[in-house]
Amino acid sequence: MRSMDIVFPEARTVAVLESDVPEPGEGEVRCRARTSLVSTGTESFCLEGVFDDGTFWQEWVEYPFAPGYSMTSEVVDVGPGVTGLSVGDRVATSTPHSSVFLVPAAECLPVPDGVTDDQACWTSLACTTQLGVRRVGLELGESAAVVGLGALGQLVVRYLALCGARRIVAIDTSRSRLDLAVAGGATHAIEADAETARDVVREITDGRLLDAAFDITGHPAVLAPTTRLVHPLGRVVLLGDTPTPSRQVLGPRIVADSVSLLGVHASSAPEIATLRDPWSQPAMADLFFHLVATGRMDVDVLTTHRFAPEDAADVYDALRRDRSSFLGVFLDWPRIPA
C-alpha cells in the first residue's frame, strides 16, 4: 500500500510525501487513517526546531521528522500473532499524520461505537491531561488555576470540574478561549496574563490564593508568575514543556512557601495497570471514552478548523504566525482504498 505522509524535512519546512507501507509483521496491524488531530503547540515547536541542549525536544526531534500523535484509523490488515483486533475495527493511536501506517497491535486502543472519529482523536491529549490532574492530587473542594487555555488547558478545566474543584480559575488573554473554558466548567475567567491575574485571584479567594495551578502554555516566562497564584504548600503543575527551559525561572517564593513543582509528561503513564497504579494509558483512555460517550465531557465544542492533508504547509504556516484562534485542528484523510 502507498501512504501520504506529512513530514518536516528540516526546520521550518513542511512537505507531503508518499511512501510504501509493507504487510504487517508479527504483532502488528496496518491501518488506514480516518481523522487526525494536530497538536498545535507541540507540532509548532517541532517545526521551529529551536531546542535547548539536553531537552526531551532535542532527543525526540530529528529531521526529517514525522509530526502528529493523535490519530483515529481503521484496521485494514492484521499481522501474525495479533488477537483482539480485526479488519474494520476503529482504533486510536499515537501515530504521526499518515494515510496508511504500521503500528504494534498492543499500542492500539479500540474505539467504542458510542465515540466518534473526532472524539477518539483527543485520546492522546486527554490521557496526558488526565495524568496531570491525577498527579496534582486535588482534594474535593480544593481550588485550582489553569493558565493557558489551548487544547490541553481546555481538557484540564473539564477534568477539574469532574473532580469537584470548588473554584476553577481560567486564565488566558483570549476571550473566546475563556468562554470555552467557562462552558467546560471554569467558575472564574480572567482575561489577562498570569502576572496580572494574581491580584484578581487574591480577590476571588479572599487573599488565600489557590491550592494548585497549572502552567500549560509552553512559554518559559509563564512559570514564575504561575507559582505566585498558589498559597504556601500549594502545588504547581508544569504540563506545557518549553523547548527552551534555559529561559525559564522559578518564582521568588518556591522555597520560602514550600511550593511543590510537578512536571507531567505523557511518557510517565504506566503501560500496564497495577494495584499500586491502576491508571495505565489504556485505563485512562477507557475512562475518557466513557466520559465522552455518556455526555459528561464535551470535546466537540473545541473543534475550530478542518483541513485536507494536502494543505499541511498552509496549516503549519498559519500556526507559526498566530495560534491563538486554533484549538481542535483536524486533518480529514481520504476514505478511498490505498
Coordinates of all heavy atoms in Angstrom, one line a residue, residues 122 125-136 138 143-165 167-171 180-181 184-186 212-217 237-240 264 288 291 297-299 302:
W122 N -8.9 12.8 20.3 CA -8.5 13.6 21.5 C -7.8 12.7 22.5 O -7.3 13.1 23.6 CB -9.7 14.3 22.2 CG -10.2 15.4 21.4 CD1 -11.2 15.4 20.5 CD2 -9.7 16.8 21.4 NE1 -11.4 16.7 20.0 CE2 -10.5 17.5 20.5 CE3 -8.7 17.4 22.1 CZ2 -10.3 18.9 20.3 CZ3 -8.5 18.8 21.9 CH2 -9.3 19.5 21.0
L125 N -4.2 13.5 24.0 CA -4.2 14.7 24.8 C -5.0 14.5 26.1 O -4.7 15.0 27.1 CB -4.7 15.9 24.0 CG -3.9 16.2 22.7 CD1 -4.5 17.5 22.1 CD2 -2.4 16.4 23.1
A126 N -6.1 13.7 25.9 CA -7.0 13.5 27.1 C -6.3 12.7 28.1 O -6.5 12.9 29.4 CB -8.3 12.8 26.6
C127 N -5.4 11.7 27.7 CA -4.7 10.9 28.7 C -3.6 11.7 29.4 O -3.4 11.6 30.6 CB -4.1 9.7 28.0 SG -5.3 8.4 27.6
T128 N -2.9 12.6 28.6 CA -1.9 13.4 29.2 C -2.4 14.4 30.2 O -1.9 14.5 31.3 CB -1.2 14.2 28.1 OG1 -0.6 13.3 27.1 CG2 -0.1 15.2 28.6
T129 N -3.6 15.0 29.9 CA -4.1 16.0 30.8 C -4.8 15.3 32.0 O -4.7 15.8 33.2 CB -5.2 16.8 30.1 OG1 -6.1 16.0 29.4 CG2 -4.5 17.8 29.2
Q130 N -5.3 14.1 31.8 CA -5.9 13.3 32.9 C -4.7 12.9 33.9 O -4.9 13.0 35.1 CB -6.6 12.0 32.4 CG -7.3 11.3 33.4 CD -7.9 10.0 32.9 OE1 -8.0 9.0 33.6 NE2 -8.5 10.1 31.7
L131 N -3.6 12.6 33.3 CA -2.4 12.3 34.1 C -2.0 13.5 35.0 O -1.7 13.3 36.1 CB -1.3 11.8 33.2 CG 0.0 11.4 33.9 CD1 -0.2 10.1 34.7 CD2 1.1 11.2 32.8
G132 N -2.0 14.7 34.4 CA -1.7 15.9 35.1 C -2.6 16.2 36.3 O -2.2 16.5 37.4
V133 N -3.9 16.0 36.0 CA -4.9 16.2 37.1 C -4.7 15.2 38.2 O -4.8 15.5 39.4 CB -6.3 16.2 36.5 CG1 -7.3 16.3 37.6 CG2 -6.5 17.4 35.6
R134 N -4.4 13.9 37.8 CA -4.2 12.9 38.8 C -2.9 13.2 39.6 O -2.9 13.0 40.9 CB -4.0 11.5 38.2 CG -5.3 11.0 37.6 CD -5.2 9.6 37.0 NE -6.4 9.2 36.4 CZ -7.5 8.8 37.0 NH1 -7.5 8.8 38.3 NH2 -8.6 8.5 36.3
R135 N -1.9 13.7 39.0 CA -0.6 14.0 39.6 C -0.7 15.1 40.7 O -0.1 15.0 41.7 CB 0.4 14.4 38.5 CG 1.8 14.6 39.1 CD 2.6 13.3 39.2 NE 3.8 13.5 39.9 CZ 5.0 14.0 39.4 NH1 5.0 14.2 38.1 NH2 6.1 14.1 40.1
V136 N -1.6 16.0 40.5 CA -1.7 17.1 41.4 C -2.4 16.7 42.7 O -2.3 17.4 43.7 CB -2.3 18.4 40.8 CG1 -3.9 18.2 40.7 CG2 -1.9 19.7 41.5
L138 N -5.7 16.6 43.6 CA -6.7 17.6 44.1 C -7.7 16.9 44.9 O -8.3 15.9 44.6 CB -7.3 18.3 42.9 CG -8.0 19.6 43.1 CD1 -6.9 20.7 43.3 CD2 -8.9 20.0 42.0
S143 N -9.2 24.3 45.1 CA -9.3 25.2 44.0 C -8.0 25.2 43.2 O -6.9 25.1 43.7 CB -9.7 26.6 44.5 OG -10.9 26.6 45.2
A144 N -8.2 25.5 41.9 CA -7.0 25.5 41.0 C -7.2 26.5 39.9 O -8.3 26.9 39.5 CB -6.8 24.1 40.4
A145 N -6.0 27.0 39.4 CA -6.0 27.8 38.2 C -5.4 27.1 37.1 O -4.6 26.2 37.2 CB -5.1 29.0 38.5
V146 N -5.9 27.4 35.9 CA -5.4 26.8 34.6 C -4.9 28.0 33.8 O -5.7 28.8 33.3 CB -6.5 26.0 33.9 CG1 -5.9 25.4 32.6 CG2 -7.0 24.9 34.8
V147 N -3.6 28.1 33.6 CA -3.0 29.2 32.8 C -2.7 28.7 31.4 O -1.8 27.8 31.3 CB -1.7 29.7 33.5 CG1 -1.2 30.9 32.7 CG2 -2.0 30.1 35.0
G148 N -3.3 29.2 30.4 CA -3.2 28.8 29.1 C -4.3 27.8 28.7 O -4.4 26.7 29.1
L149 N -5.2 28.3 27.8 CA -6.4 27.6 27.5 C -6.5 27.1 26.1 O -7.5 27.2 25.4 CB -7.7 28.5 27.8 CG -7.8 28.8 29.3 CD1 -8.8 29.8 29.5 CD2 -8.1 27.6 30.1
G150 N -5.3 26.6 25.6 CA -5.3 25.9 24.4 C -6.0 24.5 24.6 O -6.8 24.3 25.5
A151 N -5.7 23.6 23.7 CA -6.4 22.3 23.8 C -6.2 21.6 25.1 O -7.1 21.1 25.7 CB -5.9 21.4 22.6
L152 N -4.9 21.6 25.6 CA -4.6 20.9 26.8 C -5.3 21.6 28.0 O -5.9 21.0 28.9 CB -3.1 20.9 27.1 CG -2.3 20.0 26.2 CD1 -0.8 20.2 26.4 CD2 -2.7 18.5 26.3
G153 N -5.2 22.9 28.0 CA -5.9 23.7 29.1 C -7.4 23.5 29.2 O -7.9 23.3 30.3
Q154 N -8.0 23.4 28.0 CA -9.5 23.1 28.0 C -9.8 21.8 28.6 O -10.8 21.6 29.3 CB -10.0 23.2 26.5 CG -9.8 24.6 25.9 CD -10.7 25.7 26.5 OE1 -11.7 25.4 27.1 NE2 -10.4 26.9 26.2
L155 N -9.0 20.8 28.3 CA -9.2 19.5 28.8 C -9.0 19.4 30.3 O -9.7 18.8 31.1 CB -8.3 18.4 28.1 CG -8.7 18.2 26.6 CD1 -7.6 17.3 26.0 CD2 -10.0 17.5 26.5
V156 N -8.0 20.1 30.8 CA -7.7 20.2 32.2 C -8.9 20.8 33.0 O -9.3 20.3 34.0 CB -6.4 20.9 32.5 CG1 -6.3 21.2 34.0 CG2 -5.2 20.1 32.1
V157 N -9.4 21.9 32.4 CA -10.6 22.5 33.0 C -11.7 21.5 33.2 O -12.4 21.4 34.3 CB -11.0 23.7 32.2 CG1 -12.5 24.2 32.6 CG2 -10.1 24.9 32.4
R158 N -12.0 20.7 32.2 CA -13.1 19.8 32.2 C -12.8 18.6 33.2 O -13.7 18.2 33.9 CB -13.3 19.2 30.8 CG -14.0 20.2 29.9 CD -13.7 20.1 28.4 NE -14.5 21.0 27.7 CZ -14.3 22.3 27.5 NH1 -13.2 22.9 28.1 NH2 -15.0 23.1 26.8
Y159 N -11.6 18.2 33.3 CA -11.3 17.2 34.3 C -11.4 17.7 35.7 O -11.9 17.1 36.6 CB -9.9 16.6 34.1 CG -9.8 15.6 33.1 CD1 -8.8 15.7 32.0 CD2 -10.5 14.4 33.1 CE1 -8.7 14.7 31.0 CE2 -10.4 13.4 32.1 CZ -9.5 13.6 31.1 OH -9.4 12.6 30.1
L160 N -11.0 19.0 35.9 CA -11.1 19.6 37.3 C -12.5 19.7 37.7 O -12.9 19.5 38.9 CB -10.4 20.9 37.3 CG -8.9 21.0 37.2 CD1 -8.4 22.4 37.0 CD2 -8.2 20.3 38.4
A161 N -13.4 20.1 36.7 CA -14.8 20.2 37.0 C -15.4 18.8 37.4 O -16.2 18.7 38.4 CB -15.6 20.7 35.8
L162 N -15.0 17.8 36.7 CA -15.4 16.4 37.1 C -14.9 16.0 38.5 O -15.5 15.2 39.1 CB -15.0 15.4 36.0 CG -15.7 15.5 34.7 CD1 -14.9 14.7 33.6 CD2 -17.1 15.0 34.8
C163 N -13.7 16.5 38.9 CA -13.2 16.1 40.2 C -13.8 16.9 41.3 O -13.4 16.6 42.5 CB -11.7 16.4 40.1 SG -10.7 15.2 39.1
G164 N -14.7 17.8 41.0 CA -15.3 18.5 42.1 C -14.5 19.7 42.7 O -14.7 20.1 43.8
A165 N -13.7 20.3 41.9 CA -13.0 21.5 42.3 C -13.9 22.6 42.7 O -14.9 22.9 42.0 CB -12.0 22.0 41.2
R167 N -13.2 26.0 43.1 CA -13.0 27.1 42.1 C -12.1 26.6 41.0 O -11.0 26.0 41.3 CB -12.4 28.3 42.8 CG -13.2 28.9 43.9 CD -12.5 30.2 44.4 NE -13.2 30.8 45.6 CZ -13.0 30.4 46.8 NH1 -12.0 29.5 47.1 NH2 -13.6 31.0 47.8
I168 N -12.4 26.9 39.8 CA -11.5 26.6 38.7 C -11.3 28.0 38.0 O -12.3 28.5 37.3 CB -12.2 25.6 37.7 CG1 -12.5 24.3 38.4 CG2 -11.2 25.3 36.5 CD1 -13.3 23.3 37.6
V169 N -10.2 28.5 38.1 CA -9.9 29.9 37.6 C -9.1 29.7 36.3 O -8.0 29.3 36.2 CB -9.0 30.7 38.6 CG1 -8.8 32.1 38.1 CG2 -9.7 30.7 40.0
A170 N -9.8 30.1 35.2 CA -9.2 30.0 33.9 C -8.5 31.4 33.6 O -9.1 32.4 33.7 CB -10.3 29.7 32.8
I171 N -7.3 31.3 33.1 CA -6.5 32.5 32.8 C -5.9 32.4 31.4 O -5.2 31.5 31.1 CB -5.4 32.6 33.9 CG1 -5.9 32.7 35.3 CG2 -4.5 33.9 33.6 CD1 -4.9 32.7 36.4
L180 N -14.9 29.3 26.2 CA -15.0 27.8 26.1 C -14.7 27.2 27.4 O -15.2 26.1 27.8 CB -14.0 27.3 25.0 CG -14.5 27.5 23.6 CD1 -13.3 27.1 22.7 CD2 -15.6 26.5 23.3
A181 N -13.7 27.7 28.2 CA -13.4 27.2 29.5 C -14.6 27.3 30.5 O -14.8 26.4 31.2 CB -12.2 27.9 30.1
G184 N -16.9 24.7 29.8 CA -16.4 23.4 30.2 C -16.3 23.2 31.7 O -15.9 22.2 32.2
G185 N -16.7 24.3 32.5 CA -16.7 24.1 34.0 C -15.9 25.1 34.8 O -16.0 25.1 36.0
A186 N -15.2 26.0 34.1 CA -14.5 27.0 34.9 C -15.4 27.9 35.6 O -16.5 28.3 35.1 CB -13.6 27.9 34.0
A212 N -3.7 24.8 43.9 CA -2.9 24.3 42.8 C -3.0 25.2 41.6 O -4.0 26.0 41.4 CB -3.4 22.9 42.4
A213 N -2.0 25.2 40.7 CA -2.1 25.9 39.4 C -1.4 25.1 38.4 O -0.4 24.4 38.6 CB -1.4 27.3 39.6
F214 N -1.9 25.2 37.2 CA -1.3 24.5 36.0 C -0.8 25.5 35.0 O -1.5 26.4 34.6 CB -2.4 23.7 35.3 CG -2.9 22.5 36.1 CD1 -3.8 22.7 37.1 CD2 -2.5 21.2 35.7 CE1 -4.3 21.6 37.8 CE2 -3.0 20.1 36.4 CZ -3.9 20.3 37.5
D215 N 0.5 25.4 34.7 CA 1.1 26.2 33.6 C 1.0 25.3 32.3 O 1.8 24.3 32.2 CB 2.5 26.6 33.9 CG 3.2 27.3 32.7 OD1 2.5 27.5 31.7 OD2 4.4 27.6 32.9
I216 N 0.2 25.6 31.4 CA 0.0 24.8 30.2 C 0.3 25.6 28.9 O -0.3 25.4 27.9 CB -1.4 24.2 30.1 CG1 -1.8 23.7 31.5 CG2 -1.5 23.0 29.2 CD1 -3.2 23.1 31.6
T217 N 1.2 26.6 29.1 CA 1.4 27.5 27.9 C 2.6 27.0 27.1 O 2.6 27.3 25.9 CB 1.7 28.9 28.4 OG1 2.9 28.9 29.2 CG2 0.6 29.4 29.3
V237 N 1.7 22.6 38.6 CA 1.9 21.5 37.6 C 2.4 22.2 36.3 O 1.8 23.1 35.8 CB 0.7 20.7 37.3 CG1 0.9 19.7 36.2 CG2 0.2 20.1 38.6
L238 N 3.6 21.7 35.8 CA 4.1 22.2 34.6 C 3.8 21.2 33.5 O 4.4 20.1 33.4 CB 5.6 22.4 34.7 CG 6.3 23.2 33.6 CD1 5.7 24.5 33.4 CD2 7.8 23.3 33.9
L239 N 2.7 21.4 32.8 CA 2.2 20.5 31.8 C 2.6 20.9 30.4 O 2.7 20.0 29.5 CB 0.7 20.4 31.9 CG -0.1 19.3 31.2 CD1 0.5 17.9 31.6 CD2 -1.6 19.4 31.5
G240 N 2.9 22.1 30.1 CA 3.4 22.6 28.8 C 4.9 22.7 28.9 O 5.5 23.5 29.5
V264 N 4.8 17.0 34.3 CA 4.0 16.0 33.8 C 4.3 15.8 32.3 O 4.2 16.7 31.5 CB 2.5 16.3 34.1 CG1 1.6 15.2 33.4 CG2 2.2 16.3 35.5
F288 N -11.8 8.1 29.5 CA -12.1 9.2 28.6 C -13.3 8.8 27.6 O -14.2 9.6 27.4 CB -10.9 9.6 27.8 CG -11.1 10.6 26.7 CD1 -11.6 11.9 26.9 CD2 -11.0 10.2 25.3 CE1 -11.9 12.7 25.9 CE2 -11.2 11.0 24.3 CZ -11.7 12.3 24.6
L291 N -16.5 9.0 29.5 CA -17.0 10.3 29.7 C -17.6 11.0 28.5 O -18.6 11.7 28.5 CB -15.8 11.2 30.3 CG -15.3 10.8 31.6 CD1 -14.0 11.5 32.0 CD2 -16.3 11.0 32.7
M297 N -18.3 14.7 29.2 CA -17.2 15.6 28.7 C -17.4 15.9 27.2 O -17.5 15.0 26.4 CB -15.8 14.9 28.9 CG -14.7 15.8 28.4 SD -13.0 15.1 28.7 CE -12.8 15.4 30.4
D298 N -17.6 17.2 26.9 CA -17.8 17.6 25.6 C -16.5 18.1 24.9 O -16.0 19.2 25.3 CB -18.9 18.7 25.6 CG -19.3 19.2 24.2 OD1 -18.8 18.6 23.2 OD2 -20.0 20.2 24.1
V299 N -16.0 17.4 24.0 CA -14.8 17.9 23.3 C -15.2 18.4 21.9 O -14.4 19.0 21.2 CB -13.7 16.8 23.2 CG1 -13.2 16.4 24.5 CG2 -14.3 15.5 22.5
L302 N -14.7 22.0 21.0 CA -13.3 22.5 20.9 C -12.8 22.5 19.4 O -11.8 23.1 19.2 CB -12.4 21.7 21.7 CG -12.7 21.6 23.2 CD1 -11.7 20.8 24.0 CD2 -12.7 23.0 23.8

